PDB file of all heavy atoms in Angstrom:
ATOM      1  N   LEU Z 717      -0.332  26.320  -3.149  1.00 97.00           N
ATOM      2  CA  LEU Z 717       0.461  26.601  -4.339  1.00 97.00           C
ATOM      3  C   LEU Z 717       0.183  28.046  -4.719  1.00 97.00           C
ATOM      4  O   LEU Z 717      -0.930  28.533  -4.521  1.00 97.00           O
ATOM      5  CB  LEU Z 717       0.042  25.731  -5.524  1.00 97.00           C
ATOM      6  CG  LEU Z 717       0.251  24.235  -5.480  1.00 97.00           C
ATOM      7  CD1 LEU Z 717      -0.165  23.637  -6.823  1.00 97.00           C
ATOM      8  CD2 LEU Z 717       1.701  23.911  -5.186  1.00 97.00           C
ATOM      9  N   GLN Z 718       1.189  28.689  -5.269  1.00 97.00           N
ATOM     10  CA  GLN Z 718       0.979  30.025  -5.807  1.00 97.00           C
ATOM     11  C   GLN Z 718       1.131  29.947  -7.318  1.00 97.00           C
ATOM     12  O   GLN Z 718       1.989  29.229  -7.825  1.00 97.00           O
ATOM     13  CB  GLN Z 718       2.011  30.986  -5.196  1.00 97.00           C
ATOM     14  CG  GLN Z 718       2.036  32.363  -5.822  1.00 97.00           C
ATOM     15  CD  GLN Z 718       3.135  32.471  -6.868  1.00 97.00           C
ATOM     16  OE1 GLN Z 718       3.610  31.477  -7.387  1.00 97.00           O
ATOM     17  NE2 GLN Z 718       3.541  33.676  -7.165  1.00 97.00           N
ATOM     18  N   VAL Z 735      -6.222  22.591 -12.354  1.00 98.00           N
ATOM     19  CA  VAL Z 735      -5.193  22.725 -11.315  1.00 98.00           C
ATOM     20  C   VAL Z 735      -5.798  22.402  -9.946  1.00 98.00           C
ATOM     21  O   VAL Z 735      -5.219  21.655  -9.142  1.00 98.00           O
ATOM     22  CB  VAL Z 735      -4.606  24.162 -11.320  1.00 98.00           C
ATOM     23  CG1 VAL Z 735      -3.784  24.428 -10.060  1.00 98.00           C
ATOM     24  CG2 VAL Z 735      -3.759  24.388 -12.571  1.00 98.00           C
ATOM     25  N   MET Z 739      -4.715  19.571  -7.211  1.00 98.00           N
ATOM     26  CA  MET Z 739      -4.318  20.016  -5.866  1.00 98.00           C
ATOM     27  C   MET Z 739      -5.084  19.232  -4.809  1.00 98.00           C
ATOM     28  O   MET Z 739      -4.511  18.765  -3.823  1.00 98.00           O
ATOM     29  CB  MET Z 739      -4.654  21.507  -5.684  1.00 98.00           C
ATOM     30  CG  MET Z 739      -3.725  22.467  -6.384  1.00 98.00           C
ATOM     31  SD  MET Z 739      -4.271  24.178  -6.132  1.00 98.00           S
ATOM     32  CE  MET Z 739      -3.958  24.387  -4.372  1.00 98.00           C
ATOM     33  N   LEU Z 742      -3.871  15.932  -3.922  1.00 98.00           N
ATOM     34  CA  LEU Z 742      -2.654  15.958  -3.092  1.00 98.00           C
ATOM     35  C   LEU Z 742      -2.926  16.565  -1.717  1.00 98.00           C
ATOM     36  O   LEU Z 742      -2.016  16.847  -0.958  1.00 98.00           O
ATOM     37  CB  LEU Z 742      -1.553  16.762  -3.805  1.00 98.00           C
ATOM     38  CG  LEU Z 742      -1.026  16.168  -5.113  1.00 98.00           C
ATOM     39  CD1 LEU Z 742      -0.127  17.168  -5.834  1.00 98.00           C
ATOM     40  CD2 LEU Z 742      -0.270  14.871  -4.851  1.00 98.00           C
ATOM     41  N   LEU Z 744      -3.876  19.513  -1.017  1.00 98.00           N
ATOM     42  CA  LEU Z 744      -3.525  20.933  -0.913  1.00 98.00           C
ATOM     43  C   LEU Z 744      -4.827  21.716  -0.804  1.00 98.00           C
ATOM     44  O   LEU Z 744      -5.830  21.347  -1.419  1.00 98.00           O
ATOM     45  CB  LEU Z 744      -2.746  21.382  -2.152  1.00 98.00           C
ATOM     46  CG  LEU Z 744      -1.337  20.795  -2.291  1.00 98.00           C
ATOM     47  CD1 LEU Z 744      -0.812  20.985  -3.704  1.00 98.00           C
ATOM     48  CD2 LEU Z 744      -0.385  21.420  -1.285  1.00 98.00           C
ATOM     49  N   SER Z 969      10.067  25.961  -5.498  1.00 74.00           N
ATOM     50  CA  SER Z 969      10.574  24.589  -5.473  1.00 74.00           C
ATOM     51  C   SER Z 969      11.209  24.178  -6.796  1.00 74.00           C
ATOM     52  O   SER Z 969      11.487  23.021  -7.014  1.00 74.00           O
ATOM     53  CB  SER Z 969       9.440  23.630  -5.107  1.00 74.00           C
ATOM     54  OG  SER Z 969       8.391  23.762  -6.035  1.00 74.00           O
ATOM     55  N   ILE Z 986      13.260  21.704   0.212  1.00 91.00           N
ATOM     56  CA  ILE Z 986      11.831  21.498   0.508  1.00 91.00           C
ATOM     57  C   ILE Z 986      11.658  20.927   1.916  1.00 91.00           C
ATOM     58  O   ILE Z 986      10.866  21.416   2.713  1.00 91.00           O
ATOM     59  CB  ILE Z 986      11.190  20.546  -0.541  1.00 91.00           C
ATOM     60  CG1 ILE Z 986      11.037  21.260  -1.884  1.00 91.00           C
ATOM     61  CG2 ILE Z 986       9.827  20.040  -0.056  1.00 91.00           C
ATOM     62  CD1 ILE Z 986      10.477  20.382  -2.989  1.00 91.00           C
ATOM     63  N   THR Z1003       4.196  26.745  -1.901  1.00 94.00           N
ATOM     64  CA  THR Z1003       5.278  26.749  -2.872  1.00 94.00           C
ATOM     65  C   THR Z1003       4.865  27.627  -4.046  1.00 94.00           C
ATOM     66  O   THR Z1003       3.693  27.728  -4.369  1.00 94.00           O
ATOM     67  CB  THR Z1003       5.648  25.314  -3.300  1.00 94.00           C
ATOM     68  OG1 THR Z1003       6.810  25.370  -4.116  1.00 94.00           O
ATOM     69  CG2 THR Z1003       4.545  24.642  -4.076  1.00 94.00           C
ATOM     70  N   THR Z1004       5.847  28.293  -4.640  1.00 92.00           N
ATOM     71  CA  THR Z1004       5.529  29.333  -5.617  1.00 92.00           C
ATOM     72  C   THR Z1004       6.053  28.995  -7.013  1.00 92.00           C
ATOM     73  O   THR Z1004       6.983  28.210  -7.173  1.00 92.00           O
ATOM     74  CB  THR Z1004       6.161  30.677  -5.192  1.00 92.00           C
ATOM     75  OG1 THR Z1004       7.583  30.521  -5.151  1.00 92.00           O
ATOM     76  CG2 THR Z1004       5.662  31.129  -3.841  1.00 92.00           C
ATOM     77  N   THR Z1005       5.439  29.614  -8.006  1.00 88.00           N
ATOM     78  CA  THR Z1005       5.931  29.534  -9.385  1.00 88.00           C
ATOM     79  C   THR Z1005       6.006  30.959  -9.906  1.00 88.00           C
ATOM     80  O   THR Z1005       5.124  31.749  -9.634  1.00 88.00           O
ATOM     81  CB  THR Z1005       4.945  28.788 -10.293  1.00 88.00           C
ATOM     82  OG1 THR Z1005       3.739  29.552 -10.388  1.00 88.00           O
ATOM     83  CG2 THR Z1005       4.618  27.420  -9.755  1.00 88.00           C
ATOM     84  N   VAL Z1013       6.335  25.935 -17.804  1.00 90.00           N
ATOM     85  CA  VAL Z1013       4.905  25.624 -17.796  1.00 90.00           C
ATOM     86  C   VAL Z1013       4.520  25.125 -16.406  1.00 90.00           C
ATOM     87  O   VAL Z1013       5.202  24.268 -15.841  1.00 90.00           O
ATOM     88  CB  VAL Z1013       4.567  24.534 -18.848  1.00 90.00           C
ATOM     89  CG1 VAL Z1013       3.075  24.267 -18.886  1.00 90.00           C
ATOM     90  CG2 VAL Z1013       5.079  24.941 -20.226  1.00 90.00           C
ATOM     91  N   PHE Z1014       3.447  25.662 -15.880  1.00 93.00           N
ATOM     92  CA  PHE Z1014       2.987  25.292 -14.537  1.00 93.00           C
ATOM     93  C   PHE Z1014       2.856  23.774 -14.400  1.00 93.00           C
ATOM     94  O   PHE Z1014       3.291  23.183 -13.419  1.00 93.00           O
ATOM     95  CB  PHE Z1014       1.644  25.983 -14.274  1.00 93.00           C
ATOM     96  CG  PHE Z1014       1.121  25.820 -12.873  1.00 93.00           C
ATOM     97  CD1 PHE Z1014       1.487  26.711 -11.873  1.00 93.00           C
ATOM     98  CD2 PHE Z1014       0.250  24.790 -12.551  1.00 93.00           C
ATOM     99  CE1 PHE Z1014       0.999  26.573 -10.579  1.00 93.00           C
ATOM    100  CE2 PHE Z1014      -0.235  24.641 -11.264  1.00 93.00           C
ATOM    101  CZ  PHE Z1014       0.139  25.535 -10.276  1.00 93.00           C
ATOM    102  N   ASN Z1015       2.244  23.149 -15.385  1.00 95.00           N
ATOM    103  CA  ASN Z1015       1.985  21.713 -15.292  1.00 95.00           C
ATOM    104  C   ASN Z1015       3.247  20.855 -15.270  1.00 95.00           C
ATOM    105  O   ASN Z1015       3.180  19.681 -14.936  1.00 95.00           O
ATOM    106  CB  ASN Z1015       1.088  21.262 -16.456  1.00 95.00           C
ATOM    107  CG  ASN Z1015      -0.380  21.418 -16.115  1.00 95.00           C
ATOM    108  OD1 ASN Z1015      -0.719  21.770 -14.990  1.00 95.00           O
ATOM    109  ND2 ASN Z1015      -1.248  21.162 -17.075  1.00 95.00           N
ATOM    110  N   ASN Z1016       4.383  21.428 -15.655  1.00 93.00           N
ATOM    111  CA  ASN Z1016       5.621  20.641 -15.615  1.00 93.00           C
ATOM    112  C   ASN Z1016       6.179  20.531 -14.206  1.00 93.00           C
ATOM    113  O   ASN Z1016       7.230  19.931 -13.997  1.00 93.00           O
ATOM    114  CB  ASN Z1016       6.687  21.269 -16.527  1.00 93.00           C
ATOM    115  CG  ASN Z1016       6.320  21.131 -17.994  1.00 93.00           C
ATOM    116  OD1 ASN Z1016       5.348  20.463 -18.323  1.00 93.00           O
ATOM    117  ND2 ASN Z1016       7.080  21.770 -18.864  1.00 93.00           N
ATOM    118  N   ARG Z1017       5.477  21.117 -13.263  1.00 93.00           N
ATOM    119  CA  ARG Z1017       6.025  21.220 -11.917  1.00 93.00           C
ATOM    120  C   ARG Z1017       5.352  20.304 -10.903  1.00 93.00           C
ATOM    121  O   ARG Z1017       5.588  20.446  -9.710  1.00 93.00           O
ATOM    122  CB  ARG Z1017       5.882  22.671 -11.438  1.00 93.00           C
ATOM    123  CG  ARG Z1017       6.558  23.719 -12.315  1.00 93.00           C
ATOM    124  CD  ARG Z1017       8.008  23.862 -11.926  1.00 93.00           C
ATOM    125  NE  ARG Z1017       8.108  24.090 -10.509  1.00 93.00           N
ATOM    126  CZ  ARG Z1017       8.020  25.295  -9.935  1.00 93.00           C
ATOM    127  NH1 ARG Z1017       7.883  26.356 -10.670  1.00 93.00           N
ATOM    128  NH2 ARG Z1017       8.101  25.420  -8.632  1.00 93.00           N
ATOM    129  N   TRP Z1018       4.503  19.374 -11.329  1.00 96.00           N
ATOM    130  CA  TRP Z1018       3.725  18.617 -10.344  1.00 96.00           C
ATOM    131  C   TRP Z1018       4.590  17.726  -9.447  1.00 96.00           C
ATOM    132  O   TRP Z1018       4.210  17.424  -8.318  1.00 96.00           O
ATOM    133  CB  TRP Z1018       2.606  17.813 -11.018  1.00 96.00           C
ATOM    134  CG  TRP Z1018       1.470  18.706 -11.415  1.00 96.00           C
ATOM    135  CD1 TRP Z1018       1.219  19.209 -12.658  1.00 96.00           C
ATOM    136  CD2 TRP Z1018       0.460  19.259 -10.551  1.00 96.00           C
ATOM    137  NE1 TRP Z1018       0.111  20.038 -12.624  1.00 96.00           N
ATOM    138  CE2 TRP Z1018      -0.374  20.081 -11.346  1.00 96.00           C
ATOM    139  CE3 TRP Z1018       0.179  19.145  -9.192  1.00 96.00           C
ATOM    140  CZ2 TRP Z1018      -1.472  20.771 -10.823  1.00 96.00           C
ATOM    141  CZ3 TRP Z1018      -0.908  19.831  -8.672  1.00 96.00           C
ATOM    142  CH2 TRP Z1018      -1.715  20.635  -9.482  1.00 96.00           C
ATOM    143  N   LEU Z1019       5.750  17.326  -9.920  1.00 95.00           N
ATOM    144  CA  LEU Z1019       6.645  16.547  -9.053  1.00 95.00           C
ATOM    145  C   LEU Z1019       7.064  17.389  -7.841  1.00 95.00           C
ATOM    146  O   LEU Z1019       6.983  16.934  -6.695  1.00 95.00           O
ATOM    147  CB  LEU Z1019       7.874  16.083  -9.845  1.00 95.00           C
ATOM    148  CG  LEU Z1019       8.958  15.348  -9.064  1.00 95.00           C
ATOM    149  CD1 LEU Z1019       8.443  14.045  -8.463  1.00 95.00           C
ATOM    150  CD2 LEU Z1019      10.179  15.064  -9.948  1.00 95.00           C
ATOM    151  N   ASP Z1020       7.493  18.621  -8.102  1.00 92.00           N
ATOM    152  CA  ASP Z1020       7.861  19.524  -6.998  1.00 92.00           C
ATOM    153  C   ASP Z1020       6.655  19.819  -6.108  1.00 92.00           C
ATOM    154  O   ASP Z1020       6.767  19.873  -4.887  1.00 92.00           O
ATOM    155  CB  ASP Z1020       8.363  20.874  -7.533  1.00 92.00           C
ATOM    156  CG  ASP Z1020       9.555  20.731  -8.442  1.00 92.00           C
ATOM    157  OD1 ASP Z1020      10.325  19.787  -8.234  1.00 92.00           O
ATOM    158  OD2 ASP Z1020       9.698  21.553  -9.357  1.00 92.00           O
ATOM    159  N   PHE Z1021       5.513  20.053  -6.758  1.00 96.00           N
ATOM    160  CA  PHE Z1021       4.312  20.380  -5.980  1.00 96.00           C
ATOM    161  C   PHE Z1021       3.953  19.220  -5.043  1.00 96.00           C
ATOM    162  O   PHE Z1021       3.574  19.432  -3.890  1.00 96.00           O
ATOM    163  CB  PHE Z1021       3.117  20.644  -6.907  1.00 96.00           C
ATOM    164  CG  PHE Z1021       3.282  21.827  -7.825  1.00 96.00           C
ATOM    165  CD1 PHE Z1021       2.511  21.947  -8.972  1.00 96.00           C
ATOM    166  CD2 PHE Z1021       4.200  22.832  -7.543  1.00 96.00           C
ATOM    167  CE1 PHE Z1021       2.647  23.037  -9.818  1.00 96.00           C
ATOM    168  CE2 PHE Z1021       4.344  23.930  -8.386  1.00 96.00           C
ATOM    169  CZ  PHE Z1021       3.563  24.029  -9.535  1.00 96.00           C
ATOM    170  N   ALA Z1022       4.069  18.000  -5.569  1.00 97.00           N
ATOM    171  CA  ALA Z1022       3.699  16.829  -4.755  1.00 97.00           C
ATOM    172  C   ALA Z1022       4.662  16.662  -3.580  1.00 97.00           C
ATOM    173  O   ALA Z1022       4.250  16.331  -2.471  1.00 97.00           O
ATOM    174  CB  ALA Z1022       3.690  15.575  -5.627  1.00 97.00           C
ATOM    175  N   LYS Z1023       5.952  16.914  -3.824  1.00 96.00           N
ATOM    176  CA  LYS Z1023       6.922  16.836  -2.722  1.00 96.00           C
ATOM    177  C   LYS Z1023       6.577  17.871  -1.648  1.00 96.00           C
ATOM    178  O   LYS Z1023       6.618  17.586  -0.451  1.00 96.00           O
ATOM    179  CB  LYS Z1023       8.338  17.104  -3.243  1.00 96.00           C
ATOM    180  CG  LYS Z1023       8.924  15.956  -4.041  1.00 96.00           C
ATOM    181  CD  LYS Z1023      10.264  16.343  -4.642  1.00 96.00           C
ATOM    182  CE  LYS Z1023      10.891  15.156  -5.362  1.00 96.00           C
ATOM    183  NZ  LYS Z1023      12.133  15.535  -6.069  1.00 96.00           N
ATOM    184  N   SER Z1024       6.244  19.068  -2.106  1.00 96.00           N
ATOM    185  CA  SER Z1024       5.869  20.121  -1.154  1.00 96.00           C
ATOM    186  C   SER Z1024       4.596  19.729  -0.413  1.00 96.00           C
ATOM    187  O   SER Z1024       4.500  19.901   0.803  1.00 96.00           O
ATOM    188  CB  SER Z1024       5.650  21.450  -1.890  1.00 96.00           C
ATOM    189  OG  SER Z1024       6.821  21.829  -2.568  1.00 96.00           O
ATOM    190  N   ALA Z1025       3.617  19.212  -1.163  1.00 98.00           N
ATOM    191  CA  ALA Z1025       2.336  18.839  -0.553  1.00 98.00           C
ATOM    192  C   ALA Z1025       2.549  17.798   0.542  1.00 98.00           C
ATOM    193  O   ALA Z1025       1.984  17.889   1.627  1.00 98.00           O
ATOM    194  CB  ALA Z1025       1.384  18.298  -1.621  1.00 98.00           C
ATOM    195  N   GLU Z1026       3.381  16.813   0.233  1.00 98.00           N
ATOM    196  CA  GLU Z1026       3.612  15.756   1.227  1.00 98.00           C
ATOM    197  C   GLU Z1026       4.298  16.317   2.477  1.00 98.00           C
ATOM    198  O   GLU Z1026       3.940  15.987   3.598  1.00 98.00           O
ATOM    199  CB  GLU Z1026       4.469  14.644   0.626  1.00 98.00           C
ATOM    200  CG  GLU Z1026       4.910  13.628   1.675  1.00 98.00           C
ATOM    201  CD  GLU Z1026       5.034  12.229   1.132  1.00 98.00           C
ATOM    202  OE1 GLU Z1026       4.037  11.731   0.586  1.00 98.00           O
ATOM    203  OE2 GLU Z1026       6.119  11.645   1.246  1.00 98.00           O
ATOM    204  N   THR Z1027       5.288  17.189   2.258  1.00 97.00           N
ATOM    205  CA  THR Z1027       6.045  17.703   3.403  1.00 97.00           C
ATOM    206  C   THR Z1027       5.190  18.640   4.247  1.00 97.00           C
ATOM    207  O   THR Z1027       5.366  18.721   5.455  1.00 97.00           O
ATOM    208  CB  THR Z1027       7.320  18.417   2.915  1.00 97.00           C
ATOM    209  OG1 THR Z1027       7.889  17.650   1.866  1.00 97.00           O
ATOM    210  CG2 THR Z1027       8.327  18.548   4.028  1.00 97.00           C
ATOM    211  N   MET Z1028       4.253  19.336   3.603  1.00 98.00           N
ATOM    212  CA  MET Z1028       3.382  20.227   4.373  1.00 98.00           C
ATOM    213  C   MET Z1028       2.320  19.444   5.142  1.00 98.00           C
ATOM    214  O   MET Z1028       1.853  19.864   6.178  1.00 98.00           O
ATOM    215  CB  MET Z1028       2.714  21.242   3.438  1.00 98.00           C
ATOM    216  CG  MET Z1028       3.665  22.302   2.916  1.00 98.00           C
ATOM    217  SD  MET Z1028       2.820  23.596   1.988  1.00 98.00           S
ATOM    218  CE  MET Z1028       2.872  22.981   0.326  1.00 98.00           C
ATOM    219  N   PHE Z1039      10.231   8.526  -3.409  1.00 97.00           N
ATOM    220  CA  PHE Z1039       9.131   9.450  -3.694  1.00 97.00           C
ATOM    221  C   PHE Z1039       8.807   9.454  -5.185  1.00 97.00           C
ATOM    222  O   PHE Z1039       7.634   9.432  -5.587  1.00 97.00           O
ATOM    223  CB  PHE Z1039       9.476  10.876  -3.235  1.00 97.00           C
ATOM    224  CG  PHE Z1039       8.303  11.812  -3.358  1.00 97.00           C
ATOM    225  CD1 PHE Z1039       7.472  12.041  -2.278  1.00 97.00           C
ATOM    226  CD2 PHE Z1039       8.004  12.429  -4.574  1.00 97.00           C
ATOM    227  CE1 PHE Z1039       6.364  12.871  -2.397  1.00 97.00           C
ATOM    228  CE2 PHE Z1039       6.903  13.256  -4.703  1.00 97.00           C
ATOM    229  CZ  PHE Z1039       6.080  13.476  -3.609  1.00 97.00           C
ATOM    230  N   PHE Z1043       5.205   8.696  -6.565  1.00 98.00           N
ATOM    231  CA  PHE Z1043       4.515   9.776  -7.270  1.00 98.00           C
ATOM    232  C   PHE Z1043       4.055   9.304  -8.654  1.00 98.00           C
ATOM    233  O   PHE Z1043       2.895   9.490  -9.041  1.00 98.00           O
ATOM    234  CB  PHE Z1043       5.454  10.980  -7.390  1.00 98.00           C
ATOM    235  CG  PHE Z1043       4.955  12.074  -8.301  1.00 98.00           C
ATOM    236  CD1 PHE Z1043       3.930  12.914  -7.902  1.00 98.00           C
ATOM    237  CD2 PHE Z1043       5.531  12.269  -9.550  1.00 98.00           C
ATOM    238  CE1 PHE Z1043       3.472  13.928  -8.742  1.00 98.00           C
ATOM    239  CE2 PHE Z1043       5.085  13.275 -10.393  1.00 98.00           C
ATOM    240  CZ  PHE Z1043       4.055  14.108  -9.993  1.00 98.00           C
TER     241      PHE Z1043
END
Side-chain angles (χ1 to χ4, degrees):
L717 294 184
Q718 171 263 21
V735 167
M739 284 178 68
L742 295 170
L744 291 164
S969 58
I986 288 177
T1003 187
T1004 62
T1005 65
V1013 183
F1014 186 88
N1015 273 355
N1016 291 353
R1017 302 275 308 274
W1018 284 100
L1019 176 62
D1020 302 329
F1021 297 160
K1023 286 174 176 175
S1024 301
E1026 172 147 304
T1027 318
M1028 288 187 269
F1039 187 94
F1043 170 74

